[in-house]
Amino acid sequence: MYSGPGVKTSPDYPIPDTMKAWVLGNPSELKLAQKPVPVPKRAEVLVRIDAVAICATDLEIIDHGPPASIQGGMPFNKNFTPGHEYMGTVVALGPGVDEYRIGQRITVEIHAGCGQCKRCREGMYTACHNYGLNYGDVDKGHRANGFTTDGGFCEYQVNHINTLVAIPDAMSDEEATLVVTAGTAMYGLTELGGLVAGESVVVTGPGPIGLLGVAVAKALGASPVILTGTRDNRLKIGRELGADHVVNVRNEDAVEAVRRLNGGKGVDYVIECSGAPNAVNDAIRMVNRGGKVCLAAFPHQETPVDVAHIVRNNIYLYGIRGEGKTATHRAEAFMSQKRFDATKIHTHTFPLDDLPTAIRYAKDRVDDAIKVVVKAKGVAAHRVAAE
Ligand SMILES: [Zn+2]
Ligand SMILES: [Zn+2]
């Protein structure tokens, strides 16, 4: 029978001893296995995972390894379960937990920092100095589920209470998986200064973070908000999420178009979500003097950057990782107040057993897939009707 020292459970939510879990073998190789259901420790809960979204970073980890770090190294053949954008129901409480109750629906953010390093103490727990140090004699208590500890492509997972975000009944499981994506956009805008009402913002790259970056910037009052990208179907969704202007960079020069759309001057902020090879050089020419650029995408190669232009023009560059400073809570507030409809980027749902198909849809953008969600409880594969 499922139990652990000081762990509270409820007969309303029976918990099995073992669960279905996808595990990473060699690069690109996922296998469905049985694992013990994990047991929460102090300040942790057990979450029954009701839905999990696939992120581009999951695809990176499954094929290449980083930014996952398991037992101080690559994540392959270590019985590691990836997946990090999940939501679910609290079904067991670890010792001392009274902040959440059994049966409560929550979504999660990813990074539970160690809580004791300099950055964690500043709220920058996604930049925890003990990242990945959560094993053996070096255990610092750090968790980043799906990156340094087991993640969400399974039926149950343990989460620190600091990573939980309560959600209202009216928010669907699928929408709740998108809180962390909106939270990443919110963290980017937080690091840029946060007060963007009436300020001009460009978002480059209409992936999930870019599209929700448009929505969050608009909800914060930015004006105008300009989205650049290469796919008209995604730019159209950007407009629906609040972009005042969209620029297809296949048809016109992105820097010239941005300057034209903002009265000849550059914009105040750029959020770079494309990871394109020349994205940084474009971004520093889209901002005006003294402007700020947030880098939220991982490019694959090192790229030369025009540092002299940055210095001469007093431009600020910020790299952000994930969703620090409780940005997910602010994003969830916008979503539960219906300030924007994040579900516009959710396109497909598959059962957990079909994870490889779901991953193929996300990776190859089959049928114009954007956010693909996987659900453990009996669902048939379906495409969500556009709008
Ligand atoms: Zn992600
Ligand atoms: Zn830390």
Side-chain angles (χ1 to χ4, degrees):
M1 213 194 115
Y2 180 87
S3 68
V7 173
K8 293 195 185 76
T9 57
S10 161
D12 295 341
Y13 293 89
I15 302 166
D17 290 322
T18 62
M19 63 174 181
K20 276 190 224 173
W22 288 92
V23 298
L24 185 57
N26 291 320
S28 311
E29 184 191 25
L30 284 170
K31 289 180 277 199
L32 192 55
Q34 285 283 320
K35 277 191 180 181
V37 175
V39 176
K41 298 187 195 134
R42 197 190 75 81
E44 293 178 339
V45 303
L46 182 70
V47 176
R48 184 191 71 200
I49 297 170
D50 296 329
V52 51
I54 295 170
C55 173
T57 310
D58 292 320
L59 308 178
E60 276 295 308
I61 289 169
I62 291 164
D63 290 344
H64 305 291
S69 174
I70 302 297
Q71 293 156 21
M74 294 293 258
F76 305 113
N77 297 307
K78 289 178 176 167
N79 202 33
F80 164 62
T81 297
H84 59 272
E85 298 184 355
Y86 59 91
M87 60 74 60
T89 306
V90 173
V91 293
L93 307 176
V97 174
D98 58 7
E99 295 83 355
Y100 292 87
R101 59 181 168 72
I102 291 174
Q104 188 167 1
R105 291 175 74 238
I106 50 85
T107 189
V108 304
E109 52 183 87
I110 298 143
H111 298 258
C114 70
Q116 61 199 27
C117 76
K118 176 178 182 173
R119 294 297 175 230
C120 281
R121 297 283 289 162
E122 293 171 340
M124 293 176 66
Y125 43 82
T126 62
C128 174
H129 286 180
N130 289 315
Y131 184 86
L133 298 184
N134 47 10
Y135 56 94
D137 290 345
V138 292
D139 192 352
K140 296 287 187 181
H142 174 273
R143 286 189 79 99
N145 286 356
F147 289 87
T148 67
T149 40
D150 272 347
F153 294 143
C154 58
E155 294 180 291
Y156 294 89
Q157 200 46 268
V158 159
N159 273 82
H160 195 283
I161 55 166
N162 288 354
T163 65
L164 303 182
V165 184
I167 53 168
D169 291 344
M171 187 181 287
S172 70
D173 291 355
E174 288 81 352
E175 183 174 9
T177 66
L178 302 171
V179 168
V180 72
T181 309
T184 302
M186 178 68 85
Y187 183 45
L189 284 156
T190 303
E191 291 303 274
L192 290 174
L195 297 172
V196 296
E199 307 267 281
S200 44
V201 174
V202 166
V203 177
T204 52
I209 293 173
L211 287 169
L212 294 188
V214 164
V216 172
K218 194 69 185 176
L220 289 168
S223 177
V225 176
I226 303 168
L227 174 65
T228 70
T230 59
R231 289 167 175 255
D232 284 328
N233 64 313
R234 292 194 176 200
L235 294 173
K236 175 171 172 286
I237 295 169
R239 271 206 181 274
E240 292 166 8
L241 286 167
D244 297 294
H245 307 283
V246 296
V247 176
N248 189 323
V249 302
R250 288 198 202 286
N251 304 335
E252 54 186 325
D253 181 82
V255 174
E256 277 173 28
V258 162
R259 289 187 165 265
R260 174 174 53 75
L261 290 167
N262 198 40
K265 289 200 291 285
V267 294
D268 299 309
Y269 302 96
V270 172
I271 306 173
E272 205 304 284
C273 302
S274 74
N278 207 41
V280 177
N281 287 316
D282 282 354
I284 62 177
R285 287 180 171 78
M286 287 176 182
V287 287
N288 49 37
R289 299 195 79 203
K292 296 181 178 178
V293 175
C294 171
L295 304 173
F298 307 135
H300 279 101
Q301 304 100 15
E302 292 189 17
T303 49
V305 172
D306 186 350
V307 175
H309 182 85
I310 296 172
V311 175
R312 285 189 198 116
N313 294 288
N314 206 136
I315 289 164
Y316 299 84
L317 282 186
Y318 295 76
I320 63 147
R321 172 72 193 274
E323 65 307 315
K325 296 187 180 167
T326 60
T328 52
H329 292 258
R330 296 190 289 288
E332 190 281 332
F334 274 158
M335 288 167 66
S336 58
Q337 292 167 43
K338 303 207 179 301
R339 297 284 296 277
F340 56 85
D341 180 5
T343 63
K344 286 183 182 295
I345 70 167
H346 166 235
T347 53
H348 297 76
T349 298
F350 291 92
L352 180 64
D353 289 0
D354 279 352
L355 180 66
T357 310
I359 285 176
R360 185 170 60 79
Y361 270 65
K363 185 190 282 182
D364 300 339
R365 300 174 183 179
V366 176
D367 191 21
D368 286 336
I370 303 179
K371 262 302 185 198
V372 178
V373 171
V374 168
K375 299 190 83 168
K377 288 179 294 184
V379 292
H382 62 279
R383 188 189 204 287
V384 180
E387 294 157 299

